[in-house]
Amino acid sequence: MEIDILIEDDGWDKSALEALAAQACETTLDELGLEPQQYAVSILACGDERIATLNAEFRGKPAPTNVLSWPSEDRAAATPGEMPHLPHPNPVGPPEELGDIALALGVLTREALEGGKPFEHHLAHLLVHGLLHLLGFDHITDPDAALMEGIETRVLARLGVPDPY
């Protein structure tokens, strides 16, 4: 999988983020029956101030959040609880760009501490969560949330991370 990471906050450990992002994203794609080498994603590793600006600009919520996602195209299913329209790129073509994910270091750190979980486990969860959003999954309705959370739980189990729900 092609992963482009931009570090904007010096508190991020670039090598640890690169390794965990590759593992989390590739496992997620594999769980969905997709060949990881056919896909690309961009990740912004930023601080709370930057993500608050992005959250205000794109969601109208002027506060920091843990993760934001911008899919390259709308892949959502028409009916709640159904699988989204997963991409199937040409296997001999360039990797298909799925979109962008932004992660906020301060929010992730606080949530991990408050939840009594290792930072790496929470980060893995949010990487999986963000990638699923890029693939058209959401959690707006109960059926959609059940589908998305079920996939997250299975992927995280494969990564050795306990069920976050």
Side-chain angles (χ1 to χ4, degrees), residues 9 47 63-64 73:
D9 185 305
E73 63 183 74

Side-chain angles (χ1 to χ4, degrees), residues 93-126:
E96 180 164 339
E97 178 62 48
L98 296 176
D100 304 319
I101 298 170
L103 299 159
L105 181 60
V107 175
L108 265 74
T109 302
R110 283 190 301 280
E111 289 177 347
L113 286 171
E114 291 167 3
K117 54 184 103 173
F119 175 82
E120 294 78 14
H121 286 185
H122 192 45
L123 176 56
H125 179 206
L126 293 178

Side-chain angles (χ1 to χ4, degrees), residues 35-51:
E35 174 54 50
Q37 300 306 354
Q38 295 179 348
Y39 299 93
V41 66
S42 296
I43 297 174
L44 170 66
C46 62
D48 291 4
E49 187 175 314
R50 173 78 159 126
I51 211 157

Side-chain angles (χ1 to χ4, degrees), residues 4-90:
D4 182 35
I5 298 177
L6 174 62
I7 305 278
E8 281 192 354
D9 185 305
D10 292 336
W12 284 97
D13 179 341
K14 184 173 183 178
S15 61
L17 177 58
E18 286 175 344
L20 189 54
Q23 188 178 26
C25 292
E26 289 174 9
T27 304
T28 301
L29 293 172
D30 184 68
E31 177 70 24
L32 295 169
L34 302 174
E35 174 54 50
Q37 300 306 354
Q38 295 179 348
Y39 299 93
V41 66
S42 296
I43 297 174
L44 170 66
C46 62
D48 291 4
E49 187 175 314
R50 173 78 159 126
I51 211 157
T53 300
L54 294 169
N55 203 20
E57 183 178 341
F58 291 98
R59 296 179 62 225
K61 298 180 180 186
T65 189
N66 51 21
V67 62
L68 292 171
S69 316
W70 295 271
S72 59
E73 63 183 74
D74 183 7
R75 297 177 176 91
T79 305
E82 287 187 356
M83 286 290 286
H85 308 289
L86 298 177
H88 295 284
N90 181 341

